[in-house]
Short mmCIF file of all heavy atoms in Angstrom, two decimals:
data_model
loop_
_atom_site.label_atom_id
_atom_site.label_comp_id
_atom_site.label_asym_id
_atom_site.label_seq_id
_atom_site.Cartn_x
_atom_site.Cartn_y
_atom_site.Cartn_z
N ASN A 8 49.41 -120.30 46.29
CA ASN A 8 49.40 -121.44 45.36
C ASN A 8 48.04 -122.09 45.59
O ASN A 8 47.77 -122.59 46.65
CB ASN A 8 50.66 -122.23 45.65
CG ASN A 8 50.56 -123.66 46.03
OD1 ASN A 8 49.50 -124.21 46.24
ND2 ASN A 8 51.70 -124.29 46.13
N HIS A 9 47.09 -121.94 44.61
CA HIS A 9 45.71 -122.18 44.99
C HIS A 9 45.22 -123.63 44.99
O HIS A 9 44.57 -124.09 44.06
CB HIS A 9 44.73 -121.26 44.26
CG HIS A 9 43.76 -120.77 45.28
ND1 HIS A 9 43.86 -119.55 45.88
CD2 HIS A 9 42.77 -121.43 45.92
CE1 HIS A 9 42.94 -119.47 46.81
NE2 HIS A 9 42.26 -120.58 46.85
N SER A 10 45.50 -124.27 46.07
CA SER A 10 45.08 -125.66 46.24
C SER A 10 43.80 -125.71 47.07
O SER A 10 43.41 -124.74 47.71
CB SER A 10 46.17 -126.45 46.94
OG SER A 10 47.32 -126.55 46.13
N ILE A 11 43.16 -126.88 47.02
CA ILE A 11 42.03 -127.17 47.93
C ILE A 11 42.58 -128.16 48.95
O ILE A 11 43.05 -129.24 48.58
CB ILE A 11 40.85 -127.80 47.17
CG1 ILE A 11 40.35 -126.87 46.08
CG2 ILE A 11 39.72 -128.17 48.15
CD1 ILE A 11 39.25 -127.49 45.20
N ILE A 12 42.55 -127.78 50.23
CA ILE A 12 43.14 -128.62 51.26
C ILE A 12 42.03 -129.15 52.16
O ILE A 12 41.28 -128.36 52.75
CB ILE A 12 44.17 -127.84 52.12
CG1 ILE A 12 45.20 -127.18 51.22
CG2 ILE A 12 44.85 -128.75 53.12
CD1 ILE A 12 44.97 -125.72 51.00
N LEU A 13 41.94 -130.46 52.27
CA LEU A 13 40.90 -131.08 53.10
C LEU A 13 41.48 -131.43 54.46
O LEU A 13 42.50 -132.15 54.54
CB LEU A 13 40.36 -132.33 52.41
CG LEU A 13 39.79 -132.12 51.01
CD1 LEU A 13 39.40 -133.46 50.38
CD2 LEU A 13 38.58 -131.18 51.05
N ILE A 14 40.84 -130.92 55.51
CA ILE A 14 41.26 -131.29 56.87
C ILE A 14 40.05 -131.91 57.57
O ILE A 14 38.90 -131.70 57.16
CB ILE A 14 41.80 -130.08 57.68
CG1 ILE A 14 40.72 -129.02 57.93
CG2 ILE A 14 43.00 -129.46 57.01
CD1 ILE A 14 41.11 -127.96 58.97
N GLY A 15 40.31 -132.63 58.63
CA GLY A 15 39.22 -133.23 59.41
C GLY A 15 39.67 -134.52 60.05
O GLY A 15 40.79 -135.01 59.81
N PHE A 16 38.80 -135.06 60.87
CA PHE A 16 39.13 -136.24 61.67
C PHE A 16 39.32 -137.48 60.78
O PHE A 16 38.85 -137.52 59.65
CB PHE A 16 38.02 -136.48 62.71
CG PHE A 16 38.48 -137.28 63.89
CD1 PHE A 16 39.32 -136.71 64.83
CD2 PHE A 16 38.10 -138.60 64.04
CE1 PHE A 16 39.78 -137.44 65.92
CE2 PHE A 16 38.54 -139.35 65.12
CZ PHE A 16 39.38 -138.76 66.07
N MET A 17 39.99 -138.49 61.36
CA MET A 17 40.09 -139.78 60.68
C MET A 17 38.68 -140.25 60.33
O MET A 17 37.77 -140.14 61.16
CB MET A 17 40.70 -140.83 61.64
CG MET A 17 42.14 -140.57 61.98
SD MET A 17 42.76 -141.70 63.27
CE MET A 17 42.65 -140.69 64.74
N GLY A 18 38.51 -140.74 59.12
CA GLY A 18 37.20 -141.25 58.72
C GLY A 18 36.24 -140.16 58.26
O GLY A 18 35.08 -140.45 57.99
N SER A 19 36.71 -138.92 58.13
CA SER A 19 35.78 -137.86 57.68
C SER A 19 35.63 -137.86 56.16
O SER A 19 34.81 -137.12 55.62
CB SER A 19 36.24 -136.48 58.17
OG SER A 19 37.54 -136.19 57.69
N GLY A 20 36.44 -138.67 55.47
CA GLY A 20 36.28 -138.81 54.02
C GLY A 20 37.24 -137.96 53.21
O GLY A 20 37.04 -137.78 52.01
N LYS A 21 38.32 -137.48 53.85
CA LYS A 21 39.25 -136.59 53.12
C LYS A 21 39.82 -137.26 51.87
O LYS A 21 39.86 -136.64 50.80
CB LYS A 21 40.41 -136.17 54.05
CG LYS A 21 39.96 -135.28 55.22
CD LYS A 21 41.02 -135.26 56.30
CE LYS A 21 41.20 -136.64 56.85
NZ LYS A 21 41.83 -136.93 58.04
N THR A 22 40.24 -138.51 51.99
CA THR A 22 40.86 -139.18 50.84
C THR A 22 39.83 -139.46 49.75
O THR A 22 40.05 -139.18 48.57
CB THR A 22 41.56 -140.48 51.28
OG1 THR A 22 42.50 -140.14 52.32
CG2 THR A 22 42.30 -141.15 50.15
N ALA A 23 38.67 -139.99 50.15
CA ALA A 23 37.63 -140.33 49.17
C ALA A 23 37.11 -139.07 48.47
O ALA A 23 36.99 -139.03 47.23
CB ALA A 23 36.48 -141.06 49.87
N ILE A 24 36.85 -138.03 49.22
CA ILE A 24 36.35 -136.77 48.63
C ILE A 24 37.47 -136.13 47.79
O ILE A 24 37.23 -135.59 46.71
CB ILE A 24 35.86 -135.78 49.72
CG1 ILE A 24 34.72 -136.42 50.54
CG2 ILE A 24 35.41 -134.45 49.12
CD1 ILE A 24 33.51 -136.85 49.75
N GLY A 25 38.70 -136.25 48.28
CA GLY A 25 39.85 -135.72 47.54
C GLY A 25 39.93 -136.33 46.14
O GLY A 25 40.17 -135.62 45.16
N LYS A 26 39.69 -137.64 46.04
CA LYS A 26 39.76 -138.31 44.72
C LYS A 26 38.69 -137.75 43.78
O LYS A 26 38.96 -137.47 42.61
CB LYS A 26 39.53 -139.82 44.90
CG LYS A 26 40.77 -140.52 45.41
CD LYS A 26 40.61 -142.03 45.39
CE LYS A 26 41.85 -142.65 46.04
NZ LYS A 26 41.53 -143.68 47.01
N ILE A 27 37.49 -137.58 44.30
CA ILE A 27 36.39 -137.07 43.45
C ILE A 27 36.70 -135.63 43.01
O ILE A 27 36.55 -135.28 41.84
CB ILE A 27 35.04 -137.13 44.21
CG1 ILE A 27 34.70 -138.58 44.56
CG2 ILE A 27 33.92 -136.49 43.39
CD1 ILE A 27 33.44 -138.75 45.39
N LEU A 28 37.18 -134.81 43.97
CA LEU A 28 37.49 -133.41 43.63
C LEU A 28 38.60 -133.34 42.59
O LEU A 28 38.56 -132.52 41.68
CB LEU A 28 37.94 -132.66 44.89
CG LEU A 28 36.88 -132.39 45.95
CD1 LEU A 28 37.55 -131.75 47.16
CD2 LEU A 28 35.78 -131.50 45.41
N SER A 29 39.59 -134.22 42.75
CA SER A 29 40.71 -134.19 41.82
C SER A 29 40.22 -134.53 40.40
O SER A 29 40.64 -133.89 39.43
CB SER A 29 41.79 -135.13 42.35
OG SER A 29 42.33 -135.92 41.38
N ASP A 30 39.28 -135.46 40.27
CA ASP A 30 38.70 -135.78 38.95
C ASP A 30 37.89 -134.60 38.43
O ASP A 30 38.04 -134.17 37.30
CB ASP A 30 37.76 -136.99 39.04
CG ASP A 30 38.55 -138.28 39.18
OD1 ASP A 30 39.78 -138.25 38.94
OD2 ASP A 30 37.96 -139.31 39.54
N LYS A 31 37.01 -134.07 39.29
CA LYS A 31 36.09 -133.01 38.85
C LYS A 31 36.84 -131.74 38.45
O LYS A 31 36.44 -131.04 37.55
CB LYS A 31 35.09 -132.66 39.95
CG LYS A 31 34.01 -133.71 40.15
CD LYS A 31 32.88 -133.16 41.02
CE LYS A 31 31.92 -134.29 41.31
NZ LYS A 31 30.54 -134.02 41.19
N ARG A 32 37.90 -131.42 39.19
CA ARG A 32 38.62 -130.17 38.93
C ARG A 32 39.87 -130.37 38.08
O ARG A 32 40.59 -129.41 37.82
CB ARG A 32 39.03 -129.52 40.27
CG ARG A 32 37.85 -129.11 41.13
CD ARG A 32 37.05 -127.99 40.50
NE ARG A 32 37.73 -126.75 40.55
CZ ARG A 32 37.42 -125.72 41.33
NH1 ARG A 32 36.38 -125.79 42.13
NH2 ARG A 32 38.10 -124.61 41.30
N ALA A 33 40.12 -131.61 37.67
CA ALA A 33 41.33 -131.94 36.90
C ALA A 33 42.59 -131.38 37.58
O ALA A 33 43.41 -130.69 36.96
CB ALA A 33 41.22 -131.44 35.47
N MET A 34 42.68 -131.61 38.88
CA MET A 34 43.86 -131.20 39.63
C MET A 34 44.48 -132.46 40.23
O MET A 34 43.76 -133.39 40.59
CB MET A 34 43.45 -130.26 40.80
CG MET A 34 43.04 -128.85 40.38
SD MET A 34 41.98 -128.16 41.68
CE MET A 34 43.06 -126.99 42.39
N ASP A 35 45.82 -132.45 40.37
CA ASP A 35 46.48 -133.60 41.00
C ASP A 35 46.04 -133.74 42.46
O ASP A 35 45.78 -132.73 43.12
CB ASP A 35 48.01 -133.43 40.98
CG ASP A 35 48.57 -133.66 39.58
OD1 ASP A 35 47.83 -134.20 38.74
OD2 ASP A 35 49.72 -133.26 39.37
N LEU A 36 46.00 -134.99 42.90
CA LEU A 36 45.67 -135.25 44.31
C LEU A 36 46.94 -135.64 45.06
O LEU A 36 47.70 -136.49 44.60
CB LEU A 36 44.67 -136.41 44.40
CG LEU A 36 44.37 -136.94 45.80
CD1 LEU A 36 43.60 -135.91 46.62
CD2 LEU A 36 43.57 -138.24 45.73
N VAL A 37 47.17 -135.00 46.20
CA VAL A 37 48.26 -135.42 47.08
C VAL A 37 47.64 -135.79 48.43
O VAL A 37 46.91 -134.99 49.01
CB VAL A 37 49.30 -134.30 47.29
CG1 VAL A 37 50.37 -134.74 48.28
CG2 VAL A 37 49.94 -133.89 45.97
N ASP A 38 47.90 -137.01 48.87
CA ASP A 38 47.43 -137.45 50.18
C ASP A 38 48.68 -137.43 51.08
O ASP A 38 49.68 -138.09 50.76
CB ASP A 38 46.86 -138.86 50.03
CG ASP A 38 46.34 -139.41 51.33
OD1 ASP A 38 47.17 -139.79 52.19
OD2 ASP A 38 45.12 -139.47 51.49
N THR A 39 48.65 -136.64 52.15
CA THR A 39 49.89 -136.46 52.93
C THR A 39 50.37 -137.79 53.53
O THR A 39 51.58 -138.05 53.59
CB THR A 39 49.74 -135.37 54.03
OG1 THR A 39 48.72 -135.76 54.94
CG2 THR A 39 49.41 -134.02 53.43
N ASP A 40 49.43 -138.65 53.96
CA ASP A 40 49.86 -139.96 54.50
C ASP A 40 50.60 -140.77 53.42
O ASP A 40 51.64 -141.37 53.69
CB ASP A 40 48.64 -140.78 54.97
CG ASP A 40 48.04 -140.25 56.27
OD1 ASP A 40 48.72 -139.50 56.98
OD2 ASP A 40 46.88 -140.61 56.55
N SER A 41 50.03 -140.78 52.20
CA SER A 41 50.67 -141.55 51.12
C SER A 41 52.01 -140.93 50.75
O SER A 41 52.97 -141.66 50.45
CB SER A 41 49.80 -141.57 49.86
OG SER A 41 48.52 -141.98 50.17
N TRP A 42 52.08 -139.59 50.77
CA TRP A 42 53.35 -138.90 50.46
C TRP A 42 54.44 -139.35 51.44
O TRP A 42 55.55 -139.69 51.07
CB TRP A 42 53.13 -137.39 50.55
CG TRP A 42 54.28 -136.52 50.11
CD1 TRP A 42 54.44 -135.96 48.88
CD2 TRP A 42 55.42 -136.11 50.90
NE1 TRP A 42 55.61 -135.22 48.85
CE2 TRP A 42 56.23 -135.29 50.07
CE3 TRP A 42 55.83 -136.35 52.20
CZ2 TRP A 42 57.42 -134.71 50.52
CZ3 TRP A 42 57.04 -135.78 52.64
CH2 TRP A 42 57.81 -134.97 51.80
N ILE A 43 54.07 -139.38 52.73
CA ILE A 43 55.04 -139.77 53.77
C ILE A 43 55.42 -141.24 53.60
O ILE A 43 56.60 -141.60 53.67
CB ILE A 43 54.45 -139.49 55.17
CG1 ILE A 43 54.30 -137.98 55.38
CG2 ILE A 43 55.31 -140.12 56.27
CD1 ILE A 43 53.50 -137.58 56.60
N GLU A 44 54.43 -142.08 53.33
CA GLU A 44 54.72 -143.52 53.16
C GLU A 44 55.67 -143.73 51.99
O GLU A 44 56.61 -144.52 52.07
CB GLU A 44 53.42 -144.31 52.95
CG GLU A 44 52.58 -144.39 54.22
CD GLU A 44 51.32 -145.24 54.08
OE1 GLU A 44 50.79 -145.36 52.95
OE2 GLU A 44 50.85 -145.76 55.12
N ARG A 45 55.44 -142.97 50.89
CA ARG A 45 56.31 -143.11 49.71
C ARG A 45 57.73 -142.65 50.05
O ARG A 45 58.70 -143.32 49.73
CB ARG A 45 55.71 -142.28 48.58
CG ARG A 45 56.02 -142.85 47.22
CD ARG A 45 55.32 -142.17 46.06
NE ARG A 45 55.35 -140.74 46.11
CZ ARG A 45 54.29 -139.98 46.34
NH1 ARG A 45 53.13 -140.54 46.58
NH2 ARG A 45 54.40 -138.67 46.34
N HIS A 46 57.84 -141.51 50.72
CA HIS A 46 59.18 -140.98 51.04
C HIS A 46 59.90 -141.84 52.07
O HIS A 46 61.13 -141.89 52.08
CB HIS A 46 59.09 -139.54 51.53
CG HIS A 46 59.00 -138.59 50.38
ND1 HIS A 46 57.86 -138.46 49.62
CD2 HIS A 46 59.91 -137.78 49.82
CE1 HIS A 46 58.07 -137.60 48.65
NE2 HIS A 46 59.31 -137.16 48.75
N GLN A 47 59.17 -142.47 52.93
CA GLN A 47 59.78 -143.27 53.99
C GLN A 47 59.93 -144.75 53.61
O GLN A 47 60.64 -145.49 54.27
CB GLN A 47 58.91 -143.19 55.26
CG GLN A 47 59.08 -141.89 56.01
CD GLN A 47 60.41 -141.84 56.73
OE1 GLN A 47 60.80 -142.79 57.38
NE2 GLN A 47 61.12 -140.73 56.58
N GLY A 48 59.20 -145.17 52.58
CA GLY A 48 59.23 -146.58 52.18
C GLY A 48 58.66 -147.50 53.24
O GLY A 48 59.06 -148.66 53.36
N ARG A 49 57.73 -146.99 54.05
CA ARG A 49 57.06 -147.83 55.05
C ARG A 49 55.71 -147.21 55.37
O ARG A 49 55.46 -146.04 55.04
CB ARG A 49 57.91 -148.03 56.31
CG ARG A 49 58.55 -146.76 56.82
CD ARG A 49 59.59 -147.03 57.89
NE ARG A 49 60.26 -145.78 58.21
CZ ARG A 49 61.00 -145.56 59.26
NH1 ARG A 49 61.18 -146.52 60.14
NH2 ARG A 49 61.57 -144.40 59.48
N THR A 50 54.86 -147.99 56.01
CA THR A 50 53.49 -147.52 56.25
C THR A 50 53.46 -146.56 57.45
O THR A 50 54.40 -146.53 58.26
CB THR A 50 52.54 -148.70 56.56
OG1 THR A 50 52.95 -149.28 57.81
CG2 THR A 50 52.54 -149.75 55.47
N VAL A 51 52.33 -145.84 57.56
CA VAL A 51 52.14 -144.93 58.71
C VAL A 51 52.28 -145.72 60.02
O VAL A 51 52.96 -145.29 60.95
CB VAL A 51 50.76 -144.23 58.62
CG1 VAL A 51 50.43 -143.49 59.91
CG2 VAL A 51 50.71 -143.29 57.42
N SER A 52 51.68 -146.90 60.08
CA SER A 52 51.76 -147.71 61.32
C SER A 52 53.20 -148.08 61.63
O SER A 52 53.63 -148.03 62.79
CB SER A 52 50.95 -149.01 61.19
OG SER A 52 49.61 -148.70 61.01
N GLN A 53 53.95 -148.46 60.59
CA GLN A 53 55.37 -148.82 60.82
C GLN A 53 56.17 -147.60 61.30
O GLN A 53 57.01 -147.72 62.18
CB GLN A 53 55.98 -149.38 59.53
CG GLN A 53 55.48 -150.78 59.19
CD GLN A 53 55.84 -151.21 57.77
OE1 GLN A 53 56.06 -150.38 56.88
NE2 GLN A 53 55.89 -152.51 57.54
N ILE A 54 55.87 -146.43 60.74
CA ILE A 54 56.59 -145.21 61.15
C ILE A 54 56.28 -144.89 62.62
O ILE A 54 57.18 -144.62 63.42
CB ILE A 54 56.25 -144.01 60.23
CG1 ILE A 54 56.64 -144.32 58.79
CG2 ILE A 54 56.95 -142.73 60.72
CD1 ILE A 54 56.10 -143.33 57.77
N PHE A 55 54.99 -144.95 62.98
CA PHE A 55 54.61 -144.69 64.37
C PHE A 55 55.31 -145.68 65.31
O PHE A 55 55.83 -145.29 66.36
CB PHE A 55 53.09 -144.81 64.56
CG PHE A 55 52.33 -143.51 64.47
CD1 PHE A 55 52.14 -142.89 63.23
CD2 PHE A 55 51.79 -142.91 65.59
CE1 PHE A 55 51.43 -141.69 63.13
CE2 PHE A 55 51.08 -141.71 65.50
CZ PHE A 55 50.90 -141.10 64.27
N ALA A 56 55.32 -146.95 64.91
CA ALA A 56 55.89 -147.99 65.79
C ALA A 56 57.40 -147.81 65.94
O ALA A 56 57.96 -147.94 67.03
CB ALA A 56 55.57 -149.38 65.24
N ALA A 57 58.09 -147.49 64.84
CA ALA A 57 59.55 -147.44 64.88
C ALA A 57 60.07 -146.09 65.37
O ALA A 57 61.09 -146.02 66.05
CB ALA A 57 60.12 -147.74 63.50
N GLU A 58 59.40 -145.00 64.99
CA GLU A 58 59.96 -143.66 65.25
C GLU A 58 59.13 -142.81 66.21
O GLU A 58 59.60 -141.79 66.68
CB GLU A 58 60.07 -142.86 63.93
CG GLU A 58 60.59 -143.63 62.74
CD GLU A 58 62.08 -143.90 62.83
OE1 GLU A 58 62.75 -143.32 63.69
OE2 GLU A 58 62.56 -144.73 62.03
N GLY A 59 57.87 -143.20 66.39
CA GLY A 59 57.00 -142.42 67.28
C GLY A 59 56.25 -141.32 66.53
O GLY A 59 56.57 -140.99 65.38
N GLU A 60 55.27 -140.76 67.23
CA GLU A 60 54.37 -139.78 66.62
C GLU A 60 55.10 -138.49 66.23
O GLU A 60 54.83 -137.89 65.20
CB GLU A 60 53.21 -139.48 67.57
CG GLU A 60 52.20 -138.52 66.97
CD GLU A 60 50.96 -138.32 67.81
OE1 GLU A 60 50.77 -139.05 68.81
OE2 GLU A 60 50.18 -137.42 67.45
N ARG A 61 56.04 -138.06 67.09
CA ARG A 61 56.74 -136.79 66.85
C ARG A 61 57.44 -136.78 65.48
O ARG A 61 57.38 -135.79 64.75
CB ARG A 61 57.79 -136.62 67.95
CG ARG A 61 57.94 -135.25 68.48
CD ARG A 61 59.07 -135.33 69.51
NE ARG A 61 59.91 -134.16 69.38
CZ ARG A 61 59.68 -133.04 70.04
NH1 ARG A 61 58.66 -132.94 70.87
NH2 ARG A 61 60.48 -132.01 69.88
N PHE A 62 58.09 -137.88 65.18
CA PHE A 62 58.79 -138.01 63.90
C PHE A 62 57.79 -137.91 62.75
O PHE A 62 58.01 -137.21 61.76
CB PHE A 62 59.52 -139.36 63.87
CG PHE A 62 60.21 -139.65 62.56
CD1 PHE A 62 61.52 -139.26 62.35
CD2 PHE A 62 59.54 -140.33 61.54
CE1 PHE A 62 62.16 -139.53 61.13
CE2 PHE A 62 60.16 -140.59 60.32
CZ PHE A 62 61.47 -140.20 60.12
N PHE A 63 56.64 -138.61 62.91
CA PHE A 63 55.61 -138.58 61.86
C PHE A 63 55.12 -137.15 61.65
O PHE A 63 54.94 -136.70 60.52
CB PHE A 63 54.45 -139.52 62.25
CG PHE A 63 53.34 -139.52 61.24
CD1 PHE A 63 53.46 -140.21 60.04
CD2 PHE A 63 52.17 -138.81 61.49
CE1 PHE A 63 52.43 -140.19 59.10
CE2 PHE A 63 51.13 -138.78 60.56
CZ PHE A 63 51.27 -139.48 59.37
N ARG A 64 54.92 -136.42 62.76
CA ARG A 64 54.44 -135.03 62.66
C ARG A 64 55.46 -134.15 61.93
O ARG A 64 55.11 -133.24 61.21
CB ARG A 64 54.16 -134.45 64.05
CG ARG A 64 53.09 -135.19 64.85
CD ARG A 64 51.75 -135.13 64.17
NE ARG A 64 50.78 -136.01 64.81
CZ ARG A 64 49.73 -136.53 64.20
NH1 ARG A 64 49.48 -136.26 62.93
NH2 ARG A 64 48.90 -137.33 64.83
N GLN A 65 56.75 -134.44 62.15
CA GLN A 65 57.79 -133.69 61.45
C GLN A 65 57.73 -133.97 59.94
O GLN A 65 57.87 -133.06 59.12
CB GLN A 65 59.16 -134.08 62.04
CG GLN A 65 60.32 -133.25 61.52
CD GLN A 65 60.05 -131.74 61.60
OE1 GLN A 65 59.45 -131.25 62.57
NE2 GLN A 65 60.45 -131.00 60.56
#
Side-chain angles (χ1 to χ4, degrees):
N8 122 354
H9 225 99
S10 293
I11 300 175
I12 307 102
L13 303 175
I14 65 168
F16 203 72
M17 292 173 261
S19 59
K21 293 163 298 196
T22 304
I24 301 301
K26 282 189 185 133
I27 298 176
L28 291 175
S29 136
D30 285 346
K31 286 193 186 225
R32 297 294 288 252
M34 286 157 108
D35 286 345
L36 172 68
V37 177
D38 180 286
T39 61
D40 287 342
S41 309
W42 187 96
I43 293 169
E44 289 183 334
R45 210 173 46 249
H46 278 73
Q47 283 287 314
R49 45 191 173 165
T50 65
V51 170
S52 297
Q53 287 167 336
I54 300 169
F55 265 73
E58 317 287 348
E60 183 173 351
R61 220 183 139 89
F62 176 90
F63 179 77
R64 299 297 171 205
Q65 187 50 39

